[in-house]
Amino acid sequence: MLFIAATQIIGYFFIKYKLEADTKIVNRELFIISMVFSLVLVICASIAYTSYNNSPAPRGVRALILAFSAPIILASTVKLTLGIDINHKYVIIGSILINIFAAALIFFLFKVKKPLATVVAVLISIVITVTGFVDAIALYSLNSRSVDIRCDDPLLVKVKNDSDKNEIFLTDDYHLHTILLAGRKIFCGWPYFTMFAGYDWDLRDRIRRDIFSAPDESTLKKLVEENNIGYIVIDNQVREPNKYYLNEELIRNTFEVFYDDGHDVVIYKTH
């Protein structure tokens, strides 16, 4: 019970305050220590409870508790990918499995049919329900924004019909975009997915910046040819001065316009 409550509360602060950048609530070391403490606490409490001589727990429960805790132990000790954050899936699996014992405990307390046991069961149920609101808040925040992309979008139609399926587009850090929905490849996408998959995102990002800021035509063409760039996509995100140094005039004078929506996106064809 303590483990489930701790993971919910700590997870809430992790999402809200970002441990790597904010120390007002918790820091990374405290997060790790508290997670390990909660895990050890629930395992020790479970073993102690099932070791009691008059315990009504079925045979093998201790082994089952340890098995159900295995995904959390794995997530806390093994780095399965370049990004440790991916391990949260195993923490969730372990929490779901351990919740079976929480439900069994509540059922047992109600079954005793004593006032104190009933009160404790109700209080535990309330605690579990309250921590569930943390997930509800996260889900609400995730769904507070929506993206509407139409299948008849002019950019989608143009890219799909007039470019080869193996062409590479040089873009900003896209992860959901019309060009991607048209089935085309991008040179350097959202770092969360590419870095954790083992790609050298930093190298790609440096090449992208070199292309956007190329000082002359020969350098620009050389970088484009070496990296097999078929199209260069310039939009307001790329034009943001705090993000890239963009020599858009050179790109405009070097390559022909493939698509221009008149207010934001301009795509240049490099060959």
Side-chain angles (χ1 to χ4, degrees), residues 67-122:
F68 284 178
S69 301
I72 302 169
I73 297 172
L74 175 68
S76 305
T77 56
V78 179
K79 190 175 182 180
L80 298 174
T81 66
L82 294 178
I84 193 67
D85 296 343
I86 302 298
N87 287 11
H88 75 277
K89 298 178 178 65
Y90 297 98
V91 175
I92 294 173
I93 293 172
S95 298
I96 293 172
L97 294 173
I98 292 176
N99 262 313
I100 296 174
F101 294 101
L105 174 61
I106 295 173
F107 174 77
F108 171 76
L109 291 173
F110 277 118
K111 192 176 179 181
V112 172
K113 295 182 179 180
K114 292 183 178 180
L116 181 59
T118 302
V119 170
V120 172
V122 171

Side-chain angles (χ1 to χ4, degrees), residues 193-263:
F193 306 111
T194 50
M195 291 176 69
F196 289 172
Y199 293 99
D200 192 347
W201 184 88
D202 291 329
L203 174 62
R204 290 287 182 102
D205 184 48
R206 288 196 297 270
I207 295 173
R208 172 172 56 188
R209 293 178 183 276
D210 290 341
I211 293 175
F212 282 152
S213 62
D216 53 68
E217 182 177 328
S218 60
T219 302
L220 176 61
K221 287 185 174 180
K222 180 181 178 181
L223 288 169
V224 166
E225 183 178 353
E226 287 178 348
N227 295 281
N228 198 27
I229 305 297
Y231 298 85
I232 299 176
V233 182
I234 307 296
D235 57 18
N236 289 336
Q237 290 178 302
V238 176
R239 296 186 184 97
E240 175 61 43
N242 295 327
K243 192 168 188 180
Y244 300 103
Y245 175 74
L246 176 64
N247 192 348
E248 187 171 1
E249 182 178 357
L250 175 63
I251 297 174
R252 185 187 309 113
N253 295 333
T254 304
F255 303 117
E256 65 174 292
V257 175
F258 171 75
Y259 175 86
D260 186 352
D261 68 0
H263 66 278

Side-chain angles (χ1 to χ4, degrees), residues 13-28:
F13 286 121
F14 182 84
I15 294 171
K16 185 173 178 61
Y17 293 100
K18 296 182 179 179
L19 299 182
E20 67 273 17
D22 195 303
T23 57
K24 290 184 295 184
I25 304 299
V26 286
N27 55 43
R28 188 176 297 275

Side-chain angles (χ1 to χ4, degrees), residues 7-225:
T7 53
Q8 293 286 341
I9 294 171
I10 295 169
Y12 168 75
F13 286 121
F14 182 84
I15 294 171
K16 185 173 178 61
Y17 293 100
K18 296 182 179 179
L19 299 182
E20 67 273 17
D22 195 303
T23 57
K24 290 184 295 184
I25 304 299
V26 286
N27 55 43
R28 188 176 297 275
E29 290 74 20
L30 180 59
F31 175 78
I32 295 173
I33 293 171
S34 59
M35 288 290 290
V36 172
F37 173 77
S38 300
L39 179 61
V40 172
L41 184 64
V42 72
I43 292 176
C44 291
S46 302
I47 293 175
Y49 172 74
T50 55
S51 298
Y52 183 59
N53 292 332
N54 296 326
S55 171
R59 182 181 178 183
V61 168
R62 277 177 292 179
L64 197 58
I65 292 173
L66 184 60
F68 284 178
S69 301
I72 302 169
I73 297 172
L74 175 68
S76 305
T77 56
V78 179
K79 190 175 182 180
L80 298 174
T81 66
L82 294 178
I84 193 67
D85 296 343
I86 302 298
N87 287 11
H88 75 277
K89 298 178 178 65
Y90 297 98
V91 175
I92 294 173
I93 293 172
S95 298
I96 293 172
L97 294 173
I98 292 176
N99 262 313
I100 296 174
F101 294 101
L105 174 61
I106 295 173
F107 174 77
F108 171 76
L109 291 173
F110 277 118
K111 192 176 179 181
V112 172
K113 295 182 179 180
K114 292 183 178 180
L116 181 59
T118 302
V119 170
V120 172
V122 171
L123 290 176
I124 293 175
S125 301
I126 292 174
V127 170
I128 293 178
T129 304
V130 169
T131 57
F133 282 113
V134 174
D135 292 329
I137 294 172
L139 290 173
Y140 176 80
S141 300
L142 289 172
N143 289 286
S144 60
R145 296 192 302 171
S146 62
V147 178
D148 181 19
I149 299 179
R150 298 171 52 185
C151 292
D152 60 350
D153 184 290
L155 174 57
L156 190 151
V157 174
K158 177 69 174 177
V159 171
K160 184 177 181 180
N161 294 338
D162 297 339
S163 68
D164 187 84
K165 64 180 181 179
N166 293 316
E167 293 281 12
I168 297 176
F169 287 71
L170 184 71
T171 68
D172 190 31
D173 298 334
Y174 292 160
H175 67 281
L176 177 61
H177 193 271
T178 306
I179 292 174
L180 293 171
L181 294 178
R184 298 302 179 260
K185 304 173 182 178
I186 60 176
F187 181 75
C188 187
W190 190 253
Y192 179 85
F193 306 111
T194 50
M195 291 176 69
F196 289 172
Y199 293 99
D200 192 347
W201 184 88
D202 291 329
L203 174 62
R204 290 287 182 102
D205 184 48
R206 288 196 297 270
I207 295 173
R208 172 172 56 188
R209 293 178 183 276
D210 290 341
I211 293 175
F212 282 152
S213 62
D216 53 68
E217 182 177 328
S218 60
T219 302
L220 176 61
K221 287 185 174 180
K222 180 181 178 181
L223 288 169
V224 166
E225 183 178 353

